[in-house]
Amino acid sequence: QPLRELSDVPRAIVNMCDLATGEVEWLAAAGRHRTHIGPGVRYSIRLMGDLEALAKGEPQIIDTHSLPTGPDKEALLASGVERYMAVPMIAGGELIGAISFGGPPGPFPRDKVGIAMEVATQLAIVIMQARLRERVSRQAQELELRVRERTKDLETAIRELESFSYSVSHDLRAPLRAMDGFSRMLIEDYGERLGEEGRRRLAVIRRNIQKMGELIDDLLD
């Protein structure tokens, strides 16, 4: 609305370019009696004039009467816009939109064009910053989702490892404890009757039982 009043025109519009579809869409529009905020109204990007020149930063002046017959032309004439200017919004070397304003036939005063170009520059910066914040926010959400997924996978792996550890500890230690206990009882109760060679062999068994226990500890670690 302030831009429309400064330019003293019936209507001023902030348009966003959609180069993929060849259309522009209203971001905001201010008329004498009504203001529209937000997207919704779309029309051909050809209404912005020479697109290549616009992308180079050159404002375009369009005679509404020269436009092809259609609802867009009729809507402009009905709102009192017989001649309008499209001032490009460029950020990072990219044409992201244009400010369009106009009214009855006649030249556009240089000071008003300068105001429109300054506003277009500032708007382009603000819009690019907003897009960057949105992109960063979206990437942060995606990263958070991936972290949650990886954390869930890690928790599953930890539970499986704990289950494996319990199985190793219980299933392998149980027979070792039995062998250790019975071999000790064998030495205590029948050591004299085994003879020196029998006791030596039994000692080898017990050393290997101890070694197996150490291997299980290392595996669990």
Side-chain angles (χ1 to χ4, degrees), residues 155-188:
E155 290 172 347
T156 300
I158 289 173
R159 286 194 298 270
E160 292 174 351
L161 184 58
E162 289 174 343
S163 176
F164 170 76
S165 299
Y166 173 81
S167 177
V168 168
S169 178
H170 181 270
D171 296 343
L172 295 185
R173 285 188 192 279
L176 280 182
R177 282 194 294 268
M179 286 188 287
D180 182 64
F182 278 102
S183 63
R184 187 167 53 249
M185 291 167 56
L186 189 60
I187 290 176
E188 292 173 356

PDB file of all heavy atoms in Angstrom, residues 155-188:
ATOM      1  N   GLU A 155      19.627 -48.209  18.994  1.00  0.00           N
ATOM      2  CA  GLU A 155      19.003 -48.824  20.172  1.00  0.00           C
ATOM      3  C   GLU A 155      18.666 -50.291  19.900  1.00  0.00           C
ATOM      4  O   GLU A 155      18.826 -51.145  20.773  1.00  0.00           O
ATOM      5  CB  GLU A 155      17.746 -48.045  20.560  1.00  0.00           C
ATOM      6  CG  GLU A 155      18.046 -46.662  21.145  1.00  0.00           C
ATOM      7  CD  GLU A 155      16.793 -45.837  21.335  1.00  0.00           C
ATOM      8  OE1 GLU A 155      15.730 -46.232  20.779  1.00  0.00           O
ATOM      9  OE2 GLU A 155      16.852 -44.809  22.029  1.00  0.00           O
ATOM     10  N   THR A 156      18.189 -50.576  18.676  1.00  0.00           N
ATOM     11  CA  THR A 156      17.895 -51.966  18.301  1.00  0.00           C
ATOM     12  C   THR A 156      19.168 -52.803  18.317  1.00  0.00           C
ATOM     13  O   THR A 156      19.187 -53.929  18.828  1.00  0.00           O
ATOM     14  CB  THR A 156      17.256 -52.013  16.905  1.00  0.00           C
ATOM     15  OG1 THR A 156      16.030 -51.264  16.914  1.00  0.00           O
ATOM     16  CG2 THR A 156      16.957 -53.449  16.492  1.00  0.00           C
ATOM     17  N   ALA A 157      20.252 -52.237  17.761  1.00  0.00           N
ATOM     18  CA  ALA A 157      21.525 -52.962  17.734  1.00  0.00           C
ATOM     19  C   ALA A 157      22.043 -53.220  19.151  1.00  0.00           C
ATOM     20  O   ALA A 157      22.573 -54.300  19.444  1.00  0.00           O
ATOM     21  CB  ALA A 157      22.553 -52.162  16.929  1.00  0.00           C
ATOM     22  N   ILE A 158      21.865 -52.230  20.038  1.00  0.00           N
ATOM     23  CA  ILE A 158      22.319 -52.392  21.426  1.00  0.00           C
ATOM     24  C   ILE A 158      21.534 -53.513  22.111  1.00  0.00           C
ATOM     25  O   ILE A 158      22.106 -54.337  22.828  1.00  0.00           O
ATOM     26  CB  ILE A 158      22.171 -51.065  22.194  1.00  0.00           C
ATOM     27  CG1 ILE A 158      23.210 -50.057  21.692  1.00  0.00           C
ATOM     28  CG2 ILE A 158      22.340 -51.285  23.697  1.00  0.00           C
ATOM     29  CD1 ILE A 158      23.046 -48.680  22.268  1.00  0.00           C
ATOM     30  N   ARG A 159      20.211 -53.537  21.883  1.00  0.00           N
ATOM     31  CA  ARG A 159      19.395 -54.605  22.492  1.00  0.00           C
ATOM     32  C   ARG A 159      19.834 -55.977  21.973  1.00  0.00           C
ATOM     33  O   ARG A 159      19.908 -56.948  22.735  1.00  0.00           O
ATOM     34  CB  ARG A 159      17.908 -54.364  22.196  1.00  0.00           C
ATOM     35  CG  ARG A 159      17.291 -53.225  23.005  1.00  0.00           C
ATOM     36  CD  ARG A 159      15.773 -53.268  22.933  1.00  0.00           C
ATOM     37  NE  ARG A 159      15.293 -53.097  21.574  1.00  0.00           N
ATOM     38  CZ  ARG A 159      15.002 -51.913  21.025  1.00  0.00           C
ATOM     39  NH1 ARG A 159      15.185 -50.807  21.743  1.00  0.00           N
ATOM     40  NH2 ARG A 159      14.557 -51.824  19.798  1.00  0.00           N
ATOM     41  N   GLU A 160      20.113 -56.055  20.670  1.00  0.00           N
ATOM     42  CA  GLU A 160      20.563 -57.325  20.104  1.00  0.00           C
ATOM     43  C   GLU A 160      21.919 -57.725  20.687  1.00  0.00           C
ATOM     44  O   GLU A 160      22.167 -58.910  20.958  1.00  0.00           O
ATOM     45  CB  GLU A 160      20.652 -57.209  18.580  1.00  0.00           C
ATOM     46  CG  GLU A 160      19.285 -57.051  17.906  1.00  0.00           C
ATOM     47  CD  GLU A 160      19.410 -56.797  16.413  1.00  0.00           C
ATOM     48  OE1 GLU A 160      20.551 -56.573  15.949  1.00  0.00           O
ATOM     49  OE2 GLU A 160      18.381 -56.830  15.719  1.00  0.00           O
ATOM     50  N   LEU A 161      22.804 -56.743  20.885  1.00  0.00           N
ATOM     51  CA  LEU A 161      24.114 -57.027  21.465  1.00  0.00           C
ATOM     52  C   LEU A 161      23.986 -57.486  22.910  1.00  0.00           C
ATOM     53  O   LEU A 161      24.686 -58.410  23.349  1.00  0.00           O
ATOM     54  CB  LEU A 161      24.994 -55.778  21.381  1.00  0.00           C
ATOM     55  CG  LEU A 161      26.440 -55.914  21.856  1.00  0.00           C
ATOM     56  CD1 LEU A 161      27.154 -57.003  21.064  1.00  0.00           C
ATOM     57  CD2 LEU A 161      27.173 -54.590  21.733  1.00  0.00           C
ATOM     58  N   GLU A 162      23.076 -56.835  23.647  1.00  0.00           N
ATOM     59  CA  GLU A 162      22.860 -57.242  25.039  1.00  0.00           C
ATOM     60  C   GLU A 162      22.323 -58.673  25.111  1.00  0.00           C
ATOM     61  O   GLU A 162      22.722 -59.459  25.968  1.00  0.00           O
ATOM     62  CB  GLU A 162      21.886 -56.273  25.711  1.00  0.00           C
ATOM     63  CG  GLU A 162      22.481 -54.887  25.969  1.00  0.00           C
ATOM     64  CD  GLU A 162      21.451 -53.908  26.492  1.00  0.00           C
ATOM     65  OE1 GLU A 162      20.232 -54.203  26.354  1.00  0.00           O
ATOM     66  OE2 GLU A 162      21.841 -52.851  27.010  1.00  0.00           O
ATOM     67  N   SER A 163      21.410 -58.993  24.173  1.00  0.00           N
ATOM     68  CA  SER A 163      20.871 -60.346  24.132  1.00  0.00           C
ATOM     69  C   SER A 163      21.969 -61.356  23.794  1.00  0.00           C
ATOM     70  O   SER A 163      22.052 -62.434  24.397  1.00  0.00           O
ATOM     71  CB  SER A 163      19.753 -60.431  23.085  1.00  0.00           C
ATOM     72  OG  SER A 163      19.275 -61.741  22.956  1.00  0.00           O
ATOM     73  N   PHE A 164      22.826 -60.989  22.847  1.00  0.00           N
ATOM     74  CA  PHE A 164      23.936 -61.864  22.477  1.00  0.00           C
ATOM     75  C   PHE A 164      24.886 -62.057  23.667  1.00  0.00           C
ATOM     76  O   PHE A 164      25.335 -63.172  23.940  1.00  0.00           O
ATOM     77  CB  PHE A 164      24.678 -61.256  21.292  1.00  0.00           C
ATOM     78  CG  PHE A 164      25.981 -61.927  20.970  1.00  0.00           C
ATOM     79  CD1 PHE A 164      26.009 -63.143  20.316  1.00  0.00           C
ATOM     80  CD2 PHE A 164      27.191 -61.335  21.336  1.00  0.00           C
ATOM     81  CE1 PHE A 164      27.216 -63.778  20.030  1.00  0.00           C
ATOM     82  CE2 PHE A 164      28.391 -61.959  21.054  1.00  0.00           C
ATOM     83  CZ  PHE A 164      28.400 -63.178  20.396  1.00  0.00           C
ATOM     84  N   SER A 165      25.177 -60.947  24.360  1.00  0.00           N
ATOM     85  CA  SER A 165      26.088 -61.022  25.505  1.00  0.00           C
ATOM     86  C   SER A 165      25.532 -61.940  26.589  1.00  0.00           C
ATOM     87  O   SER A 165      26.262 -62.738  27.189  1.00  0.00           O
ATOM     88  CB  SER A 165      26.333 -59.621  26.077  1.00  0.00           C
ATOM     89  OG  SER A 165      26.926 -58.791  25.111  1.00  0.00           O
ATOM     90  N   TYR A 166      24.237 -61.817  26.842  1.00  0.00           N
ATOM     91  CA  TYR A 166      23.621 -62.670  27.862  1.00  0.00           C
ATOM     92  C   TYR A 166      23.716 -64.128  27.441  1.00  0.00           C
ATOM     93  O   TYR A 166      24.029 -65.011  28.253  1.00  0.00           O
ATOM     94  CB  TYR A 166      22.160 -62.281  28.057  1.00  0.00           C
ATOM     95  CG  TYR A 166      21.417 -63.224  28.978  1.00  0.00           C
ATOM     96  CD1 TYR A 166      21.523 -63.101  30.366  1.00  0.00           C
ATOM     97  CD2 TYR A 166      20.627 -64.243  28.464  1.00  0.00           C
ATOM     98  CE1 TYR A 166      20.860 -63.960  31.210  1.00  0.00           C
ATOM     99  CE2 TYR A 166      19.957 -65.117  29.300  1.00  0.00           C
ATOM    100  CZ  TYR A 166      20.074 -64.968  30.676  1.00  0.00           C
ATOM    101  OH  TYR A 166      19.415 -65.840  31.508  1.00  0.00           O
ATOM    102  N   SER A 167      23.462 -64.385  26.140  1.00  0.00           N
ATOM    103  CA  SER A 167      23.511 -65.765  25.647  1.00  0.00           C
ATOM    104  C   SER A 167      24.916 -66.343  25.785  1.00  0.00           C
ATOM    105  O   SER A 167      25.099 -67.478  26.244  1.00  0.00           O
ATOM    106  CB  SER A 167      23.062 -65.806  24.185  1.00  0.00           C
ATOM    107  OG  SER A 167      23.173 -67.120  23.673  1.00  0.00           O
ATOM    108  N   VAL A 168      25.912 -65.534  25.420  1.00  0.00           N
ATOM    109  CA  VAL A 168      27.299 -66.000  25.533  1.00  0.00           C
ATOM    110  C   VAL A 168      27.643 -66.263  26.984  1.00  0.00           C
ATOM    111  O   VAL A 168      28.205 -67.318  27.340  1.00  0.00           O
ATOM    112  CB  VAL A 168      28.256 -64.952  24.920  1.00  0.00           C
ATOM    113  CG1 VAL A 168      29.707 -65.270  25.293  1.00  0.00           C
ATOM    114  CG2 VAL A 168      28.100 -64.911  23.411  1.00  0.00           C
ATOM    115  N   SER A 169      27.296 -65.301  27.830  1.00  0.00           N
ATOM    116  CA  SER A 169      27.651 -65.428  29.240  1.00  0.00           C
ATOM    117  C   SER A 169      26.981 -66.643  29.878  1.00  0.00           C
ATOM    118  O   SER A 169      27.606 -67.405  30.618  1.00  0.00           O
ATOM    119  CB  SER A 169      27.249 -64.150  29.979  1.00  0.00           C
ATOM    120  OG  SER A 169      27.534 -64.251  31.356  1.00  0.00           O
ATOM    121  N   HIS A 170      25.725 -66.855  29.579  1.00  0.00           N
ATOM    122  CA  HIS A 170      24.971 -67.939  30.218  1.00  0.00           C
ATOM    123  C   HIS A 170      25.280 -69.295  29.588  1.00  0.00           C
ATOM    124  O   HIS A 170      25.609 -70.254  30.282  1.00  0.00           O
ATOM    125  CB  HIS A 170      23.479 -67.646  30.125  1.00  0.00           C
ATOM    126  CG  HIS A 170      22.640 -68.692  30.781  1.00  0.00           C
ATOM    127  ND1 HIS A 170      22.177 -69.806  30.104  1.00  0.00           N
ATOM    128  CD2 HIS A 170      22.190 -68.809  32.063  1.00  0.00           C
ATOM    129  CE1 HIS A 170      21.475 -70.560  30.934  1.00  0.00           C
ATOM    130  NE2 HIS A 170      21.463 -69.974  32.129  1.00  0.00           N
ATOM    131  N   ASP A 171      25.206 -69.365  28.254  1.00  0.00           N
ATOM    132  CA  ASP A 171      25.305 -70.656  27.578  1.00  0.00           C
ATOM    133  C   ASP A 171      26.726 -71.203  27.549  1.00  0.00           C
ATOM    134  O   ASP A 171      26.922 -72.422  27.547  1.00  0.00           O
ATOM    135  CB  ASP A 171      24.775 -70.540  26.140  1.00  0.00           C
ATOM    136  CG  ASP A 171      23.290 -70.201  26.109  1.00  0.00           C
ATOM    137  OD1 ASP A 171      22.634 -70.377  27.152  1.00  0.00           O
ATOM    138  OD2 ASP A 171      22.802 -69.758  25.049  1.00  0.00           O
ATOM    139  N   LEU A 172      27.740 -70.321  27.505  1.00  0.00           N
ATOM    140  CA  LEU A 172      29.107 -70.817  27.468  1.00  0.00           C
ATOM    141  C   LEU A 172      29.723 -70.988  28.850  1.00  0.00           C
ATOM    142  O   LEU A 172      30.557 -71.860  29.066  1.00  0.00           O
ATOM    143  CB  LEU A 172      29.988 -69.866  26.635  1.00  0.00           C
ATOM    144  CG  LEU A 172      29.655 -69.767  25.138  1.00  0.00           C
ATOM    145  CD1 LEU A 172      30.680 -68.891  24.429  1.00  0.00           C
ATOM    146  CD2 LEU A 172      29.616 -71.147  24.488  1.00  0.00           C
ATOM    147  N   ARG A 173      29.318 -70.134  29.781  1.00  0.00           N
ATOM    148  CA  ARG A 173      29.906 -70.227  31.122  1.00  0.00           C
ATOM    149  C   ARG A 173      29.351 -71.429  31.903  1.00  0.00           C
ATOM    150  O   ARG A 173      30.067 -72.015  32.725  1.00  0.00           O
ATOM    151  CB  ARG A 173      29.629 -68.946  31.907  1.00  0.00           C
ATOM    152  CG  ARG A 173      30.481 -67.760  31.471  1.00  0.00           C
ATOM    153  CD  ARG A 173      30.264 -66.602  32.440  1.00  0.00           C
ATOM    154  NE  ARG A 173      30.820 -65.372  31.956  1.00  0.00           N
ATOM    155  CZ  ARG A 173      32.104 -65.026  32.051  1.00  0.00           C
ATOM    156  NH1 ARG A 173      32.965 -65.881  32.593  1.00  0.00           N
ATOM    157  NH2 ARG A 173      32.536 -63.876  31.596  1.00  0.00           N
ATOM    158  N   ALA A 174      28.077 -71.759  31.653  1.00  0.00           N
ATOM    159  CA  ALA A 174      27.451 -72.846  32.435  1.00  0.00           C
ATOM    160  C   ALA A 174      28.237 -74.163  32.320  1.00  0.00           C
ATOM    161  O   ALA A 174      28.585 -74.771  33.342  1.00  0.00           O
ATOM    162  CB  ALA A 174      26.000 -73.025  32.005  1.00  0.00           C
ATOM    163  N   PRO A 175      28.543 -74.656  31.116  1.00  0.00           N
ATOM    164  CA  PRO A 175      29.319 -75.915  31.038  1.00  0.00           C
ATOM    165  C   PRO A 175      30.740 -75.760  31.578  1.00  0.00           C
ATOM    166  O   PRO A 175      31.305 -76.713  32.126  1.00  0.00           O
ATOM    167  CB  PRO A 175      29.332 -76.224  29.528  1.00  0.00           C
ATOM    168  CG  PRO A 175      28.991 -74.943  28.845  1.00  0.00           C
ATOM    169  CD  PRO A 175      28.119 -74.199  29.757  1.00  0.00           C
ATOM    170  N   LEU A 176      31.329 -74.549  31.437  1.00  0.00           N
ATOM    171  CA  LEU A 176      32.666 -74.348  31.984  1.00  0.00           C
ATOM    172  C   LEU A 176      32.654 -74.458  33.507  1.00  0.00           C
ATOM    173  O   LEU A 176      33.561 -75.039  34.112  1.00  0.00           O
ATOM    174  CB  LEU A 176      33.206 -72.974  31.569  1.00  0.00           C
ATOM    175  CG  LEU A 176      33.784 -72.841  30.162  1.00  0.00           C
ATOM    176  CD1 LEU A 176      34.307 -71.433  29.948  1.00  0.00           C
ATOM    177  CD2 LEU A 176      34.885 -73.860  29.932  1.00  0.00           C
ATOM    178  N   ARG A 177      31.630 -73.852  34.115  1.00  0.00           N
ATOM    179  CA  ARG A 177      31.521 -73.933  35.574  1.00  0.00           C
ATOM    180  C   ARG A 177      31.367 -75.388  36.020  1.00  0.00           C
ATOM    181  O   ARG A 177      31.931 -75.807  37.037  1.00  0.00           O
ATOM    182  CB  ARG A 177      30.335 -73.077  36.062  1.00  0.00           C
ATOM    183  CG  ARG A 177      30.633 -71.580  36.101  1.00  0.00           C
ATOM    184  CD  ARG A 177      29.583 -70.842  36.905  1.00  0.00           C
ATOM    185  NE  ARG A 177      28.278 -70.907  36.260  1.00  0.00           N
ATOM    186  CZ  ARG A 177      27.824 -69.988  35.412  1.00  0.00           C
ATOM    187  NH1 ARG A 177      28.589 -68.940  35.093  1.00  0.00           N
ATOM    188  NH2 ARG A 177      26.631 -70.093  34.871  1.00  0.00           N
ATOM    189  N   ALA A 178      30.588 -76.159  35.255  1.00  0.00           N
ATOM    190  CA  ALA A 178      30.411 -77.577  35.596  1.00  0.00           C
ATOM    191  C   ALA A 178      31.736 -78.340  35.478  1.00  0.00           C
ATOM    192  O   ALA A 178      32.109 -79.119  36.372  1.00  0.00           O
ATOM    193  CB  ALA A 178      29.357 -78.198  34.679  1.00  0.00           C
ATOM    194  N   MET A 179      32.458 -78.094  34.385  1.00  0.00           N
ATOM    195  CA  MET A 179      33.746 -78.787  34.209  1.00  0.00           C
ATOM    196  C   MET A 179      34.743 -78.378  35.287  1.00  0.00           C
ATOM    197  O   MET A 179      35.496 -79.208  35.806  1.00  0.00           O
ATOM    198  CB  MET A 179      34.309 -78.478  32.819  1.00  0.00           C
ATOM    199  CG  MET A 179      33.580 -79.206  31.691  1.00  0.00           C
ATOM    200  SD  MET A 179      34.392 -79.012  30.080  1.00  0.00           S
ATOM    201  CE  MET A 179      33.995 -77.308  29.705  1.00  0.00           C
ATOM    202  N   ASP A 180      34.748 -77.080  35.610  1.00  0.00           N
ATOM    203  CA  ASP A 180      35.673 -76.593  36.635  1.00  0.00           C
ATOM    204  C   ASP A 180      35.347 -77.223  37.993  1.00  0.00           C
ATOM    205  O   ASP A 180      36.232 -77.676  38.719  1.00  0.00           O
ATOM    206  CB  ASP A 180      35.590 -75.073  36.710  1.00  0.00           C
ATOM    207  CG  ASP A 180      36.557 -74.500  37.730  1.00  0.00           C
ATOM    208  OD1 ASP A 180      37.778 -74.638  37.542  1.00  0.00           O
ATOM    209  OD2 ASP A 180      36.085 -73.910  38.729  1.00  0.00           O
ATOM    210  N   GLY A 181      34.059 -77.249  38.316  1.00  0.00           N
ATOM    211  CA  GLY A 181      33.645 -77.796  39.611  1.00  0.00           C
ATOM    212  C   GLY A 181      33.930 -79.275  39.734  1.00  0.00           C
ATOM    213  O   GLY A 181      34.494 -79.733  40.747  1.00  0.00           O
ATOM    214  N   PHE A 182      33.595 -80.027  38.703  1.00  0.00           N
ATOM    215  CA  PHE A 182      33.801 -81.477  38.780  1.00  0.00           C
ATOM    216  C   PHE A 182      35.285 -81.842  38.725  1.00  0.00           C
ATOM    217  O   PHE A 182      35.728 -82.818  39.345  1.00  0.00           O
ATOM    218  CB  PHE A 182      33.035 -82.176  37.657  1.00  0.00           C
ATOM    219  CG  PHE A 182      31.588 -82.392  37.976  1.00  0.00           C
ATOM    220  CD1 PHE A 182      30.600 -81.575  37.442  1.00  0.00           C
ATOM    221  CD2 PHE A 182      31.196 -83.417  38.840  1.00  0.00           C
ATOM    222  CE1 PHE A 182      29.276 -81.768  37.748  1.00  0.00           C
ATOM    223  CE2 PHE A 182      29.862 -83.618  39.141  1.00  0.00           C
ATOM    224  CZ  PHE A 182      28.879 -82.786  38.606  1.00  0.00           C
ATOM    225  N   SER A 183      36.071 -81.080  37.969  1.00  0.00           N
ATOM    226  CA  SER A 183      37.504 -81.375  37.926  1.00  0.00           C
ATOM    227  C   SER A 183      38.150 -81.086  39.277  1.00  0.00           C
ATOM    228  O   SER A 183      39.048 -81.816  39.716  1.00  0.00           O
ATOM    229  CB  SER A 183      38.180 -80.556  36.829  1.00  0.00           C
ATOM    230  OG  SER A 183      38.080 -79.166  37.094  1.00  0.00           O
ATOM    231  N   ARG A 184      37.702 -80.031  39.966  1.00  0.00           N
ATOM    232  CA  ARG A 184      38.230 -79.721  41.292  1.00  0.00           C
ATOM    233  C   ARG A 184      37.843 -80.821  42.284  1.00  0.00           C
ATOM    234  O   ARG A 184      38.649 -81.266  43.113  1.00  0.00           O
ATOM    235  CB  ARG A 184      37.713 -78.360  41.757  1.00  0.00           C
ATOM    236  CG  ARG A 184      38.369 -77.891  43.064  1.00  0.00           C
ATOM    237  CD  ARG A 184      38.099 -76.421  43.355  1.00  0.00           C
ATOM    238  NE  ARG A 184      36.681 -76.113  43.309  1.00  0.00           N
ATOM    239  CZ  ARG A 184      36.100 -75.365  42.375  1.00  0.00           C
ATOM    240  NH1 ARG A 184      36.856 -74.873  41.380  1.00  0.00           N
ATOM    241  NH2 ARG A 184      34.813 -75.114  42.382  1.00  0.00           N
ATOM    242  N   MET A 185      36.576 -81.281  42.193  1.00  0.00           N
ATOM    243  CA  MET A 185      36.128 -82.379  43.062  1.00  0.00           C
ATOM    244  C   MET A 185      36.922 -83.657  42.782  1.00  0.00           C
ATOM    245  O   MET A 185      37.245 -84.415  43.694  1.00  0.00           O
ATOM    246  CB  MET A 185      34.630 -82.639  42.845  1.00  0.00           C
ATOM    247  CG  MET A 185      33.749 -81.503  43.355  1.00  0.00           C
ATOM    248  SD  MET A 185      32.037 -81.642  42.754  1.00  0.00           S
ATOM    249  CE  MET A 185      31.622 -83.270  43.316  1.00  0.00           C
ATOM    250  N   LEU A 186      37.243 -83.866  41.502  1.00  0.00           N
ATOM    251  CA  LEU A 186      37.990 -85.061  41.127  1.00  0.00           C
ATOM    252  C   LEU A 186      39.378 -85.056  41.767  1.00  0.00           C
ATOM    253  O   LEU A 186      39.853 -86.081  42.282  1.00  0.00           O
ATOM    254  CB  LEU A 186      38.104 -85.140  39.603  1.00  0.00           C
ATOM    255  CG  LEU A 186      38.670 -86.427  39.010  1.00  0.00           C
ATOM    256  CD1 LEU A 186      37.819 -87.637  39.389  1.00  0.00           C
ATOM    257  CD2 LEU A 186      38.765 -86.310  37.491  1.00  0.00           C
ATOM    258  N   ILE A 187      40.025 -83.876  41.751  1.00  0.00           N
ATOM    259  CA  ILE A 187      41.348 -83.768  42.368  1.00  0.00           C
ATOM    260  C   ILE A 187      41.263 -83.961  43.875  1.00  0.00           C
ATOM    261  O   ILE A 187      42.082 -84.683  44.490  1.00  0.00           O
ATOM    262  CB  ILE A 187      41.959 -82.401  42.032  1.00  0.00           C
ATOM    263  CG1 ILE A 187      42.319 -82.329  40.546  1.00  0.00           C
ATOM    264  CG2 ILE A 187      43.220 -82.143  42.867  1.00  0.00           C
ATOM    265  CD1 ILE A 187      42.849 -80.998  40.098  1.00  0.00           C
ATOM    266  N   GLU A 188      40.267 -83.313  44.480  1.00  0.00           N
ATOM    267  CA  GLU A 188      40.139 -83.388  45.932  1.00  0.00           C
ATOM    268  C   GLU A 188      39.805 -84.808  46.406  1.00  0.00           C
ATOM    269  O   GLU A 188      40.335 -85.294  47.407  1.00  0.00           O
ATOM    270  CB  GLU A 188      39.077 -82.405  46.410  1.00  0.00           C
ATOM    271  CG  GLU A 188      39.472 -80.934  46.223  1.00  0.00           C
ATOM    272  CD  GLU A 188      38.329 -80.005  46.548  1.00  0.00           C
ATOM    273  OE1 GLU A 188      37.208 -80.502  46.837  1.00  0.00           O
ATOM    274  OE2 GLU A 188      38.527 -78.763  46.499  1.00  0.00           O
TER     275      GLU A 188
END
